[in-house]
Amino acid sequence: MNAARSGYRVFSANSTAASTELAKKITERLGAELGKSVVYQETNGETRVEIKESVRGQDIFIIQTIPRDVNTAVMELLIMAYALKTSCARNIIGVIPYFPYSKQSKMRKRGSIVCKLLASMLAKAGLTHIITMDLHQKEIQGFFSFPVDNLRASPFLLQYIQEEIPDYRNAVIVAKSPGAAKRAQSYAERLRLGLAVIHGEAQCTEQDMDDGRHSPPMLKNATVHPGLELPVMMAKEKPPITVVGDVGGRIAIIVDDIIDDVESFVAAAEILKERGAYKIFVMATHGLLSADAPRLIEESSIDEVVVTNTVPHEVQKLQCPKIKTVDISLILSEAIRRIHNGESMAYLFRNITVDD
């Protein structure tokens, strides 16, 4: 397929070689070449992008994987989108497998909803469409003023379980907190397996964080109008940690969308070991694996961590052989092809539920 003649081009907005691997795999599947561009940082830290070929009147797909330097990656994407916009590209579609700042999609005390800010910046820079995967909160799609295709990695992770985990029929799908129960239930129903949920004081979910409804704080000497007295709410107190479901003598498969700070996964693995699970897998779409994650995983009871290549993590794999990768370039390349040809995206969402 000659991408230039067929009216579309694929660019990578990353300035580091490790972050362009996914873009290369996608273009290989499309039978196309990466667009000619230069992305680099000036000596003063500013990002510079130069487009080295004509893009006038074409559909442009910008593939941007997010390495550890998140803010630099965001600026690379914004500047490349604006450069393409001013070069008269017809449509500019961002392919952002892991959408950054997706955890900051709710108000926290006197903070801000940064994910909404980023959505507005991308629209202002010139993006007209986004392809992403497993948004941390599906409601994030409502932040955008243009179409968003939120693809799912679950078919690839389910296939890995069926093909790479011996005796997976003796497994149980585990949610490491009640908030992850819907995703775990979806996996369990597809694999016809049992479900277990970890609940108790060792868990800390986003719902337990202050979200602004306790602001401003009460002042000790403040006078309150009698008509404004509200009922006193009892403070939350988590029960002792429990595992709801039987994991004894079984393979435990913990599923989630992001694995970044791994302490909660390590703690969950220890609990499952104590309850009799003889093998423990962790499955997640986005393997950020920040800080000391590789070392903690290597020293833990976790037998294997399976993530997709939405985020580059080759360095972490060298530090910890327990980390395995599932390639999702197939679905991203097919999404690009369908969007450019004006075909329906429904095929990519067949048998996908809201909870996936």
Side-chain angles (χ1 to χ4, degrees), residues 172-176 180 184 194-198 243 247 251-255 272:
V172 59
I173 304 299
V174 179
K176 70 178 180 69
L195 175 68
V197 180
I198 299 174
V243 178
V247 297
I251 300 170
I253 304 175
I254 305 171
V255 296
L272 294 170

Side-chain angles (χ1 to χ4, degrees), residues 222-299:
T223 56
V224 180
H225 192 278
L228 296 178
E229 292 182 2
L230 299 174
V232 178
M233 293 290 291
M234 292 183 64
K236 274 188 176 182
E237 184 175 343
K238 288 189 176 183
I241 195 157
T242 57
V243 178
V244 181
D246 182 21
V247 297
R250 296 192 178 187
I251 300 170
I253 304 175
I254 305 171
V255 296
D256 213 333
D257 62 329
I258 299 173
I259 176 167
D260 184 7
D261 201 11
V262 300
E263 278 86 353
S264 60
F265 291 93
V266 171
E270 294 295 335
I271 294 160
L272 294 170
K273 274 288 186 187
E274 292 174 4
R275 299 299 194 277
Y278 72 90
K279 207 165 188 181
I280 299 168
F281 290 80
V282 175
M283 316 283 292
T285 302
H286 309 296
L288 305 185
L289 303 170
S290 301
D292 292 331
R295 179 182 61 80
L296 294 173
I297 293 170
E298 186 66 25
E299 296 173 355

Side-chain angles (χ1 to χ4, degrees), residues 19 34 42 46-47 67 84 118 145 161 176 184 192 197 200 210 220-221 255 257 263 279 290 296-298 345 349:
S19 299
L34 273 176
E42 299 274 14
E46 293 182 357
T47 299
L84 292 165
L118 181 56
S145 57
I161 293 172
K176 70 178 180 69
R192 313 294 192 267
V197 180
D210 293 333
K220 291 183 178 180
N221 299 324
V255 296
D257 62 329
E263 278 86 353
K279 207 165 188 181
S290 301
L296 294 173
I297 293 170
E298 186 66 25
M345 296 286 283
F349 292 94

Side-chain angles (χ1 to χ4, degrees), residues 27 34 87 116 145 149 152 169 193 210 241 245 249 326 345 350:
T27 50
L34 273 176
S87 298
K116 168 62 177 173
S145 57
D149 285 309
R152 305 294 197 276
R169 291 291 183 188
L193 298 177
D210 293 333
I241 195 157
V326 175
M345 296 286 283
R350 68 193 189 286

Side-chain angles (χ1 to χ4, degrees), residues 116 138-145 148:
K116 168 62 177 173
K138 296 176 180 64
E139 295 80 0
I140 290 173
Q141 296 176 77
F143 292 163
F144 294 86
S145 57
V148 176

